[in-house]
Amino acid sequence: MKENKNNKSKLFKRVNFIDFCVIIIALVIAAGAYYKFGVLNKTGGTAELQPVTYTVEIKRVREYALQNVREGDELYDKTSGNSIGKIVKVESEQATEPILCNDGIYRTGTVQNRINLIVTVMGEGTVTENGCFINKTYELVRESDRKFMTKYFEAEGRIKDFLV
């Protein structure tokens, strides 16, 4: 009979340890949930969206690209597929590039059958002291190269300026 009592007490000690571990895990999960949803700064409703206008420069594309990029088209980020604004203005200029001449000096020359597109885009975003975010997720960084697309066109461009 004594042997049976020792087995029961070992069983209860083991169950108590397992219960203790489960309680600790539950407390850690509850503390993490409180921290995430209660303490952290929310990106949700506090910052209002405001109009943000920015320009994208797309260099050395063929001239038919100008026909495929139109005012009123949505501009998308190629990586995420998310809309990052509506095109409000499309301009073009002759593409140029530095050319090394025989005298060892670089001069600017035109690139045959190529143009640069300057696309002005208007979106809604939040502006903080750290930068500007379109749709609260897409960070606008001056002079950053990104892949863009519209319904009929895709290319790599550089974000030049943004105005709030």
Side-chain angles (χ1 to χ4, degrees):
M1 188 76 170
K2 210 172 201 184
E3 188 179 319
N4 192 14
K5 194 174 191 180
N6 284 340
N7 286 341
K8 281 186 180 182
S9 64
K10 286 182 183 178
L11 176 67
F12 284 120
K13 285 182 184 177
R14 185 168 280 178
V15 169
N16 286 339
F17 178 72
I18 292 172
D19 288 343
F20 178 75
C21 289
V22 169
I23 290 170
I24 294 296
I25 290 171
L27 288 175
V28 168
I29 290 172
Y34 171 75
Y35 179 74
K36 179 171 173 67
F37 298 112
V39 176
L40 281 180
N41 189 10
K42 295 177 177 63
T43 59
T46 57
E48 290 190 30
L49 294 177
Q50 54 187 336
V52 177
T53 304
Y54 61 98
T55 58
V56 175
E57 182 180 39
I58 303 169
K59 290 189 169 193
R60 293 189 284 281
V61 294
R62 296 195 183 272
E63 290 187 29
Y64 69 81
L66 185 59
Q67 298 166 356
N68 292 327
V69 179
R70 297 188 181 128
E71 293 177 12
D73 286 352
E74 286 288 324
L75 186 67
Y76 298 93
D77 171 46
K78 175 74 171 149
T79 306
S80 69
N82 293 332
S83 172
I84 53 174
K86 187 171 286 214
I87 297 172
V88 293
K89 187 176 182 184
V90 179
E91 300 173 282
S92 66
E93 62 187 18
Q94 179 64 47
T96 60
E97 68 181 0
I99 299 170
L100 180 60
C101 296
N102 292 338
D103 58 3
I105 298 174
Y106 281 95
R107 292 192 174 80
T108 302
T110 60
V111 181
Q112 293 293 325
N113 300 321
R114 300 279 192 227
I115 59 173
N116 295 338
L117 293 177
I118 296 92
V119 179
T120 305
V121 182
M122 185 174 196
E124 290 196 341
T126 56
V127 179
T128 65
E129 63 276 353
N130 298 328
C132 180
F133 294 86
I134 298 294
N135 297 332
K136 296 185 183 178
T137 57
Y138 187 81
E139 185 176 14
L140 288 181
V141 179
R142 284 185 179 93
E143 300 300 321
S144 64
D145 292 329
R146 305 280 179 95
K147 292 184 180 180
F148 301 99
M149 66 182 192
T150 66
K151 190 174 180 181
Y152 303 108
F153 177 76
E154 72 178 60
E156 188 169 315
R158 178 169 283 186
I159 297 173
K160 297 307 276 183
D161 294 313
F162 60 89
L163 304 168
V164 179

